[in-house]
Amino acid sequence: MDWPYHFLDLSQAEKHARRQSLDRCALYAQLSALIPIGLVWLYQTLNKSSSSRKRDYTAVPSSDSFNTRKQSSWWSKLRWWLGEDVVALGEVLGQREQWVGGIAWAVWLLVLCVAGTGRDYMHLTKRFGIIAVSQYPMQYMLTLKSFNPVSWMLKLSHEETNRWHRVLARGTAFLLSLHTIFYYNYFIQNHILLQKLQSPVVIYGMLSFFGLNLMITTAIRPLRNRSYRVFFVTHLLIALGLPVVLWFHAASSRKYMLEALGVFLVDLGFRKRNTITVETTISAIPGTSLIKIQVPVPRQRQNHFLRVAPGAHVYVNVPPATRGAFRRKDVKAANDASEILFEFMFNPFTIAHVDQDSGALTLVARQRAGPMTTALARFASSPSSSPSSPAAEEKKALLNIEGPYGAAKHFPALALGSGFDRVLFIAGGVGATFTIPLYRAIVAENPETKVEMVWAVRTAGEATWAVIENDASDILNDPKVHVYLTGNSGSGSAGQKREGGAGLSSGIDSGENSPLVNLGGETGAAAVEMDALRRTADGRVVSGKEHHWSRPDLKKVVDEAFGHGPEERVAVLVCGPTKMGQQVRKQVGRYVRQGREVWFHNEGFGF
């Protein structure tokens, strides 16, 4: 079959009609993006109304949060299947729902690109471009943290809407690539390439295409994981510059660029309003790579944070006035690139605790290779100006705190009598900063709730931050909390060995015989003695010198949670390394496929 498109010589009237067709199809493409959002909103509204009558709950539709029902088992199984990861060459390429939704949306946009273009090659070429830029306002909106109507309407977190931003971005990048390729083919076929390369309009187009490809390249998962800061800075600068460049490239794109840049700037204003600058207390937790930040919230903003849902997070930024204190001592101020880099550092920290009396926040994070946590750890462990003060004492520093954010405020009620018969929390390392506040809130709401928490940490010292001063309900004393020490404390003998994992019934004994009971007190974390712990073959910790290391058997943990009767409705929440979330999801999936009523959420950390 011959290629249907040709270079046509159109009259002014025909060009005007083509322009109207281009603008009309671009408007259809932009407005049609509201249809799937409206359908999801309608589904949520009807489902919520039905659930209220049946005293049941439905989670936000996503890859990791949903509620299965016996009366619609096929739908529940389909949603679980759509939430599974797509893996190629060992790399996770998103979830099936992203691929299905992304391909369906790309096909729809391609239909809009082709429909009504006849045999006009330039009409098709221009359609690729105008349809792509018509998606930019929505593409920008899906990335916003504070001013995000989609997030508000569908009760989604920023992290959830950002997943769909990536899907839409790939579709628009594909269309803009076609737009560029078709135009360059036109230049070559008509022998005007060198002439057009000197045209300002084409130069602006080339700059836009280069910036687009740079964004796509830095967003590739291996590169993003290697240097998230490069990815973030590149995205931010190009996101601000691209609308300006496209403004001069094509007049027809200007209204879409104004909309995109407008929502972006409005969101910056909202984020500025939600940011406080306070003198915080930063300290390193001895014997670990953890950093604790205590944030005294100003009285006029305390209500804002006291109402925060458990499991929320804030973004931490170092203001200009403090950056000198975080600079390496061997680097002169004039040569310190981090002064500029700090402008782009907004690291998320989960709120581990909110003091209801003082309104102070406690944040806990692990030092990574990134510049923010490295700078915080260096500052916390730096020598004091007072010779008599220990190096690891608490240090004071001004920090910008923005938020709070997170998906937890959209969770269904989890306490007994609210729709679930049993709740299981699984956390790895600092992932407990997400699960512990939720656990405490559930127990406070209804102490009779059947809830268990499994927490895997490398050393006993990493659990000490969870001990709240003057709190009689010490979570490490709670028999429903099972702590597993999975790392080498460095004090074991040559005969140390790894044992098989254990389930809920064989986690760390949090009763009166557990040495973790006494982690609080006057000296706090510094008083932890690693040699005071000995692990038995079943995973419990008792006094002694010999260590037997084990990890929780996640299959056994999940089986025990679901082993109390097929009629029980179970909520499972996990926060930890990516592989932990994948393993838990795999085990929970066995019960979903059996038709069990499950609500699952994975607050996995990582990029």
Side-chain angles (χ1 to χ4, degrees):
M1 185 175 64
D2 293 337
W3 176 248
Y5 291 97
H6 304 280
F7 304 136
L8 303 181
D9 188 12
L10 305 181
S11 65
Q12 287 300 320
E14 289 172 325
K15 289 181 179 179
H16 179 69
R18 182 173 68 186
R19 180 76 268 156
Q20 290 181 320
S21 176
L22 288 167
D23 293 340
R24 183 170 56 253
C25 288
L27 182 62
Y28 291 163
Q30 184 180 47
L31 295 180
S32 63
L34 301 177
I35 294 176
I37 295 174
L39 290 175
V40 173
W41 175 81
L42 181 62
Y43 167 79
Q44 284 185 328
T45 303
L46 295 176
N47 213 13
K48 182 178 180 181
S49 176
S50 174
S51 298
S52 298
R53 291 193 298 270
K54 298 177 183 179
R55 296 184 60 81
D56 205 349
Y57 287 83
T58 297
V60 174
S62 72
S63 65
D64 288 316
S65 297
F66 62 92
N67 187 355
T68 62
R69 304 173 188 279
K70 292 180 181 178
Q71 63 267 32
S72 57
S73 179
W74 67 271
W75 174 241
S76 301
K77 293 175 183 177
L78 175 63
R79 295 177 69 188
W80 185 270
W81 180 84
L82 288 172
E84 296 285 1
D85 290 336
V86 175
V87 181
L89 300 177
E91 288 291 331
V92 177
L93 304 179
Q95 287 71 48
R96 287 172 178 160
E97 62 181 1
Q98 291 177 277
W99 280 85
V100 172
I103 291 173
W105 192 248
V107 169
W108 165 242
L109 294 182
L110 283 173
V111 169
L112 288 176
C113 289
V114 174
T117 56
R119 297 184 301 115
D120 188 354
Y121 179 92
M122 289 307 297
H123 194 170
L124 177 65
T125 303
K126 291 175 181 288
R127 279 275 188 97
F128 288 138
I130 194 66
I131 295 294
V133 298
S134 73
Q135 304 298 291
Y136 268 60
M138 180 60 68
Q139 187 173 319
Y140 275 54
M141 190 176 295
L142 291 174
T143 69
L144 306 182
K145 292 184 173 67
S146 291
F147 179 71
N148 191 329
V150 177
S151 176
W152 174 81
M153 184 177 179
L154 300 185
K155 294 180 172 55
L156 301 175
S157 67
H158 158 257
E159 291 76 18
E160 181 63 25
T161 59
N162 197 50
R163 294 170 59 244
W164 293 102
H165 155 77
R166 294 194 291 270
V167 172
L168 186 57
R170 295 182 187 113
T172 56
F174 173 67
L175 293 180
L176 287 175
S177 297
L178 290 177
H179 173 73
T180 303
I181 292 170
F182 273 55
Y183 249 117
Y184 273 82
N185 178 62
Y186 171 76
F187 295 155
I188 293 171
Q189 294 290 333
N190 288 274
H191 309 289
I192 56 174
L193 178 60
L194 293 179
Q195 174 189 341
K196 287 297 183 179
L197 288 178
Q198 301 175 50
S199 168
V201 171
V202 176
I203 292 174
Y204 289 131
M206 291 171 58
L207 288 174
S208 301
F209 190 62
F210 173 77
L212 179 68
N213 280 280
L214 187 59
M215 292 177 75
I216 293 172
T217 302
T218 57
I220 296 174
R221 186 181 294 269
L223 296 179
R224 190 171 76 235
N225 290 349
R226 184 174 181 84
S227 180
Y228 183 81
R229 202 64 54 192
V230 171
F231 155 77
F232 178 77
V233 173
T234 301
H235 254 62
L236 181 62
L237 294 180
I238 295 178
L240 286 170
L242 192 60
V244 177
V245 177
L246 287 175
W247 175 280
F248 293 103
H249 172 66
S252 58
S253 69
R254 289 177 181 175
K255 66 177 180 180
Y256 300 111
M257 295 302 101
L258 279 177
E259 293 171 5
L261 195 58
V263 297
F264 186 81
L265 294 176
V266 169
D267 181 69
L268 287 181
F270 274 86
R271 293 181 63 182
K272 183 68 175 178
R273 186 196 65 177
N274 291 334
T275 300
I276 58 174
T277 302
V278 293
E279 186 178 56
T280 61
T281 302
I282 305 173
S283 58
I285 298 179
T288 74
S289 59
L290 301 182
I291 309 157
K292 183 167 71 173
I293 305 175
Q294 293 171 295
V295 183
V297 179
R299 185 171 298 276
Q300 63 271 23
R301 299 295 302 276
Q302 285 184 6
N303 286 337
H304 179 64
F305 283 96
L306 287 175
R307 293 196 305 266
V308 65
H313 62 268
V314 295
Y315 285 85
V316 176
N317 171 258
V318 180
T322 309
R323 291 170 190 170
F326 287 88
R327 187 185 305 121
R328 287 170 47 191
K329 301 305 181 184
D330 59 337
V331 177
K332 296 181 179 179
N335 301 327
D336 191 6
S338 66
E339 290 289 333
I340 299 175
L341 198 58
F342 274 125
E343 290 288 342
F344 303 98
M345 291 187 198
F346 297 87
N347 284 44
F349 286 73
T350 303
I351 301 174
H353 178 65
V354 179
D355 190 313
Q356 295 296 318
D357 296 325
S358 66
L361 312 178
T362 299
L363 316 176
V364 177
R366 185 181 301 280
Q367 180 186 350
R368 299 291 186 182
M372 173 64 85
T373 54
T374 299
L376 289 171
R378 182 170 57 243
F379 176 78
S381 59
S382 61
S384 173
S385 57
S386 173
S388 60
S389 300
E393 69 170 344
E394 297 177 338
K395 307 291 197 313
K396 303 285 186 179
L398 281 176
L399 291 177
N400 293 327
I401 309 295
E402 177 201 332
Y405 301 106
K409 62 183 177 182
H410 303 308
F411 286 174
L414 298 173
L416 186 65
S418 301
F420 297 101
D421 301 298
R422 191 171 301 274
V423 182
L424 172 63
F425 292 101
I426 300 177
V430 292
T433 57
F434 172 79
T435 60
I436 285 179
L438 287 166
Y439 176 89
R440 284 184 168 131
I442 291 172
V443 173
E445 182 179 348
N446 189 341
E448 300 302 317
T449 301
K450 300 172 185 176
V451 56
E452 303 271 355
M453 192 178 96
V454 170
W455 183 13
V457 292
R458 296 176 183 175
T459 65
E462 294 194 359
T464 58
W465 62 263
V467 178
I468 301 173
E469 190 175 355
N470 300 322
D471 184 3
S473 59
D474 179 4
I475 197 165
L476 298 182
N477 251 340
D478 193 329
K480 297 179 181 179
V481 176
H482 311 275
V483 184
Y484 293 81
L485 305 183
T486 65
N488 191 334
S489 68
S491 58
S493 64
Q496 287 176 341
K497 59 182 179 179
R498 293 187 179 273
E499 304 287 351
L504 291 176
S505 61
S506 55
I508 280 186
D509 183 358
S510 298
E512 62 182 2
N513 294 326
S514 172
L516 293 179
V517 172
N518 301 315
L519 290 181
E522 190 173 340
T523 56
V528 176
E529 184 62 44
M530 297 299 168
D531 285 343
L533 303 180
R534 180 177 68 82
R535 182 176 304 283
T536 63
D538 64 358
R540 293 183 303 108
V541 169
V542 297
S543 298
K545 295 291 184 182
E546 184 184 357
H547 296 263
H548 300 269
W549 309 103
S550 71
R551 298 176 181 273
D553 185 334
L554 295 178
K555 180 180 183 300
K556 188 179 296 184
V557 168
V558 172
D559 286 344
E560 291 183 14
F562 282 87
H564 300 273
E567 73 285 349
E568 280 198 346
R569 297 158 296 181
V570 182
V572 180
L573 298 92
V574 57
C575 184
T578 301
K579 289 185 178 179
M580 170 180 277
Q582 292 171 342
Q583 291 173 9
V584 174
R585 196 179 202 285
K586 177 182 177 181
Q587 301 306 326
V588 174
R590 294 184 291 118
Y591 291 94
V592 173
R593 288 185 285 273
Q594 294 173 15
R596 291 292 297 272
E597 294 190 62
V598 179
W599 185 81
F600 180 80
H601 178 81
N602 180 12
E603 187 81 3
F605 50 78
F607 303 126

